[in-house]
Amino acid sequence: MIKLSPSILSADFSRLGEHISAIEKYGADWVHIDVMDGMFVPNISFGAPIMKAIRPLTKMVFDVHLMIEDPGRYIKDFVDAGADMITVHYEADKHIHRTIKYIKSFGVKAGIALNPGTPVALIEDLIEDIDMVLIMSVNPGFGGQKYIEFSGKKVAQVKALKDMYNKELYIQVDGGIDSSNVKKVIECGANSIVAGSAVFKNDEIEKNIKALKGNF
């Protein structure tokens, strides 16, 4: 089953609780929480206290994407705030295997994210230790960017590793996904879809989610 994980970075923060309730009502599976530190990426978003505040609002999986330098420093904070899955960037961590093991020590699922310029081959030795690979289909840091076309090839490469190791693995795509291209990335092997602007645009959440899931 393909999981839809709307990125609340594109929600109206003055109506965040309302928007979280709406995505749950209209068929989203997870809540994608983009954490930015202004160092690994140019933008700053929010941290564990905001996540902790919204945790009681839904039983949906909290899919936490840490776009931060040296993410191991903050894993426990996000576990304590209610994360169900924590994804860290291969490029941001000098000791990525240790950080993955640390995340899993809390009983939380662990993922690795790859920027557009990072080859899939670099994570082959880690596949058996992780629960998800996140393929960034834009350069991280800003919402509303255009999908990078070669991302589908990278999704297919992860799918090949998944099959080679007979591994249960979420293959997530994040960046520029909408109803015009979501079917294409699913055909390449994606089974978890992050969408921000495509879910929250024009405050037509029900319509937007139906348009996306109509391609699943």
Side-chain angles (χ1 to χ4, degrees):
M1 181 179 175
I2 296 162
K3 304 296 185 182
L4 178 62
S5 188
S7 171
I8 58 170
L9 195 63
S10 296
D12 181 344
F13 277 26
S14 71
R15 301 163 58 205
L16 192 52
E18 178 187 336
H19 275 183
I20 289 170
S21 296
I23 62 173
E24 183 170 29
K25 178 179 178 181
Y26 297 125
D29 303 288
W30 300 349
V31 181
H32 191 79
I33 300 174
D34 287 307
V35 179
M36 306 180 187
D37 64 356
M39 295 176 64
F40 180 66
V41 292
N43 245 338
I44 296 173
S45 58
F46 44 77
I50 297 296
M51 200 179 101
K52 186 175 182 180
I54 63 174
R55 178 69 275 188
L57 302 178
T58 179
K59 293 182 179 179
M60 284 188 292
V61 167
F62 270 20
D63 165 27
V64 182
H65 178 193
L66 298 184
M67 289 177 271
I68 64 176
E69 293 284 356
D70 194 11
R73 297 173 295 163
Y74 300 103
I75 298 304
K76 189 174 186 303
D77 292 341
F78 285 97
V79 170
D80 291 345
D84 297 292
M85 181 180 298
I86 298 176
T87 299
V88 296
H89 270 262
Y90 180 89
E91 308 86 359
D93 197 315
K94 294 177 181 177
H95 303 286
I96 189 77
H97 181 260
R98 181 170 66 192
T99 299
I100 292 299
K101 290 293 191 182
Y102 184 46
I103 293 169
K104 298 194 69 128
S105 75
F106 293 103
V108 170
K109 293 186 184 299
I112 293 178
L114 299 177
N115 282 344
T118 304
V120 169
L122 292 174
I123 62 166
E124 180 174 352
D125 291 340
L126 301 167
I127 284 290
E128 294 188 281
D129 292 312
I130 58 179
D131 302 288
M132 183 163 77
V133 177
L134 191 171
I135 297 297
M136 290 300 303
S137 46
V138 299
N139 287 290
F142 299 95
Q145 297 183 67
K146 186 178 178 181
Y147 173 82
I148 296 172
E149 287 298 329
F150 63 69
S151 305
K153 180 175 74 172
K154 294 180 71 176
V155 170
Q157 289 169 350
V158 178
K159 175 67 162 54
L161 286 178
K162 175 181 183 291
D163 293 345
M164 181 189 304
Y165 287 93
N166 193 27
K167 165 75 177 174
E168 288 190 15
L169 187 74
Y170 287 112
I171 305 173
Q172 187 172 78
V173 183
D174 181 1
I177 300 296
D178 57 29
S179 57
S180 73
N181 56 26
V182 66
K183 185 175 182 180
K184 179 166 56 178
V185 297
I186 290 170
E187 287 173 348
C188 290
N191 55 17
S192 175
I193 303 297
V194 177
S197 304
V199 167
F200 294 104
K201 67 182 178 182
N202 302 324
D203 204 21
E204 295 180 319
I205 295 172
E206 180 179 13
K207 175 184 174 182
N208 296 335
I209 287 179
K210 282 182 178 177
L212 282 166
K213 297 193 81 168
N215 291 282
F216 285 17

